[in-house]
Amino acid sequence: MAYLFAFCRLLTGIVFLMSAVSKLRGRAAYEEFTAATRALVRLPSRPVAALVVAAEITVAPLLAWRPTALAGFCVALGLLVAFTAAIVVALRRGRRVPCRCFGASAVPVGTGHLARNAVLIAAATAGAVHAGTGAAFVGLGPAGLAAVALAAGAVAVLLSAIGEIAGLFTSSSRRR
């Protein structure tokens, strides 16, 4: 269980850190995210975008410290549920809004993004359930922790690119 909990903490933290950094890497990136937010939700986009980035930034530090890990998972779950709801609404309305979750992707939100969120919701839920036990990275050892960190990093990179990966398959089928 220690390996699973460590994987869930690292995966969730890495994904949210990558997401926040991609939005804050420059003024243009943040403006593109704000524009995508405006197209996805019927709320004031600037405050919503700022709130999303602030919440994403808080996830990794909360997960890094054992006493606040449960709070980190709860923030992550709240964000993921909100993101998923926004994507579902956009898809139902037939809106082709580019996903700016991890940077300047022009791929519109779609089922690949829903699949990514489902994986992240499962990881955050498993982590939150385990966080209540107070367990940390105890018993992993340096080699075990390194292996889990490598696996979490690889999965995080894959998940961050899932929209583009799905877009490759849907784009090629439309061209034929």
Side-chain angles (χ1 to χ4, degrees):
M1 269 317 217
Y3 286 96
L4 177 62
F5 181 55
F7 178 82
C8 291
R9 277 175 79 180
L10 289 167
L11 175 63
T12 305
I14 291 167
V15 164
F16 278 95
L17 189 60
M18 287 172 57
S19 181
V21 167
S22 73
K23 292 173 181 100
L24 296 174
R25 75 183 191 290
R27 185 172 184 84
Y30 186 76
E31 290 302 321
E32 288 171 352
F33 171 66
T34 302
T37 301
R38 185 178 311 109
L40 278 173
V41 297
R42 295 177 186 227
L43 299 169
S45 60
R46 291 213 179 274
V48 171
L51 181 62
V52 165
V53 173
E56 286 179 338
I57 289 170
T58 64
V59 171
L62 287 172
L63 290 174
W65 193 41
R66 182 175 53 190
T68 60
L70 180 58
F73 283 121
C74 289
V75 171
L77 282 167
L79 286 167
L80 289 165
V81 168
F83 297 159
T84 302
I87 292 169
V88 167
V89 168
L91 291 175
R92 285 195 174 165
R93 290 182 177 160
R95 303 195 77 199
R96 299 194 40 85
V97 179
C99 177
R100 303 292 186 194
C101 308
F102 294 96
S105 172
V107 176
V109 293
T111 55
H113 298 94
L114 292 174
R116 177 197 57 218
N117 286 1
V119 169
L120 291 170
I121 287 170
T125 300
V129 167
H130 198 270
T133 66
F137 299 130
V138 178
L140 295 183
L145 183 56
V148 170
L150 183 62
V155 172
V157 169
L158 178 64
L159 289 174
S160 72
I162 200 75
E164 285 75 17
I165 294 168
L168 291 173
F169 293 105
T170 56
S171 295
S172 63
S173 64
R174 287 185 187 152
R175 289 182 191 150
R176 292 183 184 169

